[in-house]
Amino acid sequence: MQSVRDRIQQVPRKAWLKAGIWGSLYAVFVVWVAWGDWKSLAWLALLPHIIDALTTKFVNYGWWRKYRPAAKDEAPNPHENKVLYTVFSWIDAIVFALVAVYFINLYIFQNYQIPSSSLEKTLRVGDFLFVSKMAYGPRVPNTPLSMPLVQHTFPAALGGGKSYIEKPQWAYKRLAGWTEPQKGDIVVFNFPAGDTVCEKMQNPDYYTLCHYYGKEAVHSRKDVFGNIITRPVDRRENYVKRCVGTPGDSLQIINNIIFINGISEPMRDGKQYNYFVRTDGHLLTNTYLDKIGVSKDDRVTIESGLYHFPLTVEMKAELQKNPHVLGIEIEPETNGGEVYPLGHNSWTRDNYGPIYIPKRGDTLRITEENYWVYARIANAYEHKPMAIGEDYVFEMNYYWMMGDNRHNSADSRYWGFVPEDHIVGRPVFIWLSIEKDHPWLHGHIRWDRLGQNAMR
């Protein structure tokens, strides 16, 4: 039997170099994950196995290779088993690909598809984004044991069910990025109100359902709402909005204009609001609405000569040139419904605040007037007590996110602040764009959008 010393001496230098590089990277990764929670250093127990797999191979990880069919110019292999060799070749390749995708998806970049019109006309439904995890710094996953490319639930074709194992769970930690979310950035983040979910009715969110239907009804009517489940931060739905307020800012919305620290937001292409458009009875055809940029899903005909759809400044100006258009009126603020914190203010989506966006380390005196604005931070994000008449110290930075399609966006006006531990990444560019309303050979792929900067 070959001795340990002989086995070590037979390992090529390149193999030791390769093992040293990968072993060092793995050790640094484990220490980073374990920082402040040293129990996680137990993962270093896998380091000898990594070194052995790349060098001495005392554990025969590639045992299945002995079944490889012999080539034409080779002697027959007495262990040859083509079926077994093929099956394990595929398993080996798939496992390697899944591990590679897992780490790339967690720490480098992620694909994201725009599902709704909340950022029209900046980002459109059907845009596929390359989202950088490095820009704001990659997070340690809360749930490290999860299936790559599946957010929280397997597709029905694969049986459904959770795509992650809840234990172990790691505390929030983030590597330093190139920057932090800035005002004007488009940001991908985990939905803050997605910590608790009704399986049969996930939109609107659980807290909104409890507000309108009552908590008892939501929990008891499983035929309507389904089971109530909870999700860790990194398994909540991914949302994409524009950051309009950063930690330490004071925000107020007056007649649809955002004011940050008393200064109105800059003009931005693509921002739009809902309007009622009245004509002299003339029909606004689909061809005409296509031309001025009104999406097919947004077109609503209320009655003959009366329409409802969102418009940018440029689209509104184009409509005003139409001799058949008699008037264009913005949608009333009452159409937006109640806003955050539900049941505890008289604000609307168009006239909101003022509200202060907390910064890590800030101390704020909690009053009867502001308690409900910040109670969710203490209860759901920082998990510590908050009391009226006492000072509260914030442990995280918070952000205010809104869609450019201001009257068709479920955003911070409805569910509040976005904590820093929910930040996923920053879109870099559009790598594919699909127009579902057009056939394949007639504009189904929006070629002009491919490669565009997603941070416009």
Side-chain angles (χ1 to χ4, degrees):
M1 183 176 180
Q2 192 177 32
S3 69
V4 173
R5 178 179 293 181
D6 290 341
R7 180 72 67 92
I8 292 174
Q9 289 177 344
Q10 290 177 4
V11 176
R13 290 184 179 180
K14 287 184 178 180
W16 285 115
L17 179 61
K18 183 179 179 181
I21 292 172
W22 284 108
S24 298
L25 289 173
Y26 178 75
V28 169
F29 171 74
V30 171
V31 171
W32 171 53
V33 169
W35 201 269
D37 180 20
W38 301 112
K39 293 180 180 178
S40 297
L41 285 177
W43 286 93
L44 287 175
L46 292 177
L47 186 56
H49 295 276
I50 294 173
I51 302 299
D52 177 54
L54 296 171
T55 57
T56 49
K57 296 181 172 60
F58 285 109
V59 178
N60 187 12
Y61 301 99
W63 59 270
W64 53 272
R65 289 187 175 89
K66 71 178 183 179
Y67 298 110
R68 181 179 66 85
K72 290 182 179 180
D73 57 347
E74 292 179 340
N77 179 3
H79 303 290
E80 179 177 320
N81 187 320
K82 188 175 182 179
V83 173
L84 196 62
Y85 180 79
T86 300
V87 169
F88 278 95
S89 294
W90 276 102
I91 292 174
D92 182 69
I94 291 171
V95 169
F96 178 81
L98 287 175
V99 171
V101 168
Y102 174 82
F103 281 96
I104 290 172
N105 193 59
L106 280 178
Y107 299 106
I108 302 177
F109 74 87
Q110 177 179 342
N111 171 56
Y112 181 80
Q113 180 184 0
I114 298 296
S116 70
S117 63
S118 69
L119 278 167
E120 297 267 354
K121 299 296 185 188
T122 308
L123 295 177
R124 301 180 63 181
V125 174
D127 283 348
F128 289 78
L129 308 179
F130 177 99
V131 177
S132 169
K133 299 288 187 75
M134 306 295 288
Y136 302 135
R139 296 178 299 180
V140 170
N142 298 113
T143 49
L145 301 180
S146 62
M147 178 60 66
L149 304 179
V150 183
Q151 182 61 16
H152 50 68
T153 306
F154 284 112
L158 297 178
K162 290 191 297 187
S163 63
Y164 60 94
I165 298 175
E166 298 207 18
K167 292 182 180 180
Q169 284 202 20
W170 291 340
Y172 168 61
K173 195 180 281 90
R174 186 186 296 272
L175 276 177
W178 304 320
T179 183
E180 295 181 351
Q182 306 294 315
K183 282 186 281 291
D185 282 3
I186 292 176
V187 180
V188 176
F189 56 92
N190 296 117
F191 181 38
D195 57 338
T196 307
V197 177
C198 299
E199 284 191 310
K200 288 186 177 180
M201 193 180 295
Q202 300 188 23
N203 187 25
D205 63 82
Y206 166 81
Y207 299 98
T208 301
L209 292 173
C210 287
H211 174 70
Y212 287 112
Y213 295 97
K215 187 173 181 179
E216 183 178 347
V218 170
H219 281 257
S220 61
R221 291 295 307 275
K222 294 188 182 299
D223 58 321
V224 176
F225 302 102
N227 293 323
I228 310 300
I229 61 175
T230 59
R231 290 174 179 157
V233 171
D234 62 340
R235 295 297 118 195
R236 296 169 193 173
E237 290 287 356
N238 286 329
Y239 271 37
V240 58
K241 307 287 180 185
R242 191 180 297 278
C243 177
V244 299
T246 53
D249 286 338
S250 292
L251 176 143
Q252 187 171 14
I253 303 174
I254 302 175
N255 296 327
N256 288 306
I257 304 299
I258 297 175
F259 290 83
I260 299 294
N261 303 322
I263 302 173
S264 62
E265 65 176 330
M267 294 295 293
R268 189 180 303 280
D269 294 339
K271 185 172 64 177
Q272 57 183 12
Y273 301 96
N274 286 346
Y275 291 88
F276 291 100
V277 179
R278 183 173 292 280
T279 71
D280 57 8
H282 182 82
L283 176 67
L284 298 180
T285 66
N286 287 333
T287 301
Y288 175 75
L289 294 177
D290 278 339
K291 181 180 178 181
I292 67 172
V294 179
S295 301
K296 187 175 181 179
D297 289 344
D298 291 334
R299 303 169 192 175
V300 177
T301 302
I302 299 175
E303 59 185 48
S304 178
L306 182 61
Y307 303 87
H308 177 268
F309 37 66
L311 300 170
T312 63
V313 171
E314 294 78 12
M315 293 161 65
K316 181 182 176 185
E318 190 65 32
L319 265 175
Q320 288 172 328
K321 296 177 184 177
N322 189 319
H324 298 287
V325 173
L326 302 180
I328 303 175
E329 295 184 5
I330 196 166
E331 181 183 276
E333 61 183 331
T334 52
N335 284 29
E338 291 187 69
V339 294
Y340 176 86
L342 295 173
H344 297 284
N345 64 72
S346 58
W347 302 335
T348 68
R349 66 169 186 200
D350 300 341
N351 288 278
Y352 190 96
I355 192 169
Y356 178 74
I357 304 171
K359 184 178 182 180
R360 187 189 309 115
D362 275 352
T363 299
L364 183 70
R365 175 54 60 99
I366 303 302
T367 66
E368 291 184 0
E369 289 74 25
N370 67 19
Y371 175 79
W372 289 107
V373 172
Y374 301 107
R376 178 161 173 77
I377 287 179
N379 296 333
Y381 308 142
E382 300 189 353
H383 307 288
K384 64 180 188 178
M386 173 183 285
I388 295 174
E390 297 182 1
D391 289 341
Y392 185 88
V393 180
F394 295 95
E395 296 182 354
M396 286 193 288
N397 287 322
Y398 292 86
Y399 299 87
W400 197 260
M401 306 289 186
M402 290 175 58
D404 290 349
N405 193 0
R406 293 288 165 82
H407 286 168
N408 294 302
S409 175
D411 51 37
S412 285
R413 292 170 295 178
Y414 294 94
W415 34 255
F417 306 100
V418 176
E420 64 177 72
D421 68 342
H422 284 56
I423 300 295
V424 172
R426 182 173 70 177
V428 179
F429 63 86
I430 300 168
W431 66 270
L432 178 64
S433 186
I434 300 294
E435 176 57 73
K436 66 181 180 64
D437 296 332
H438 293 172
W440 274 102
L441 299 180
H442 298 280
H444 188 67
I445 298 179
R446 297 184 286 237
W447 297 101
D448 59 320
R449 296 186 63 77
L450 271 59
Q452 282 191 7
N453 181 3
M455 291 293 290
R456 293 172 300 155

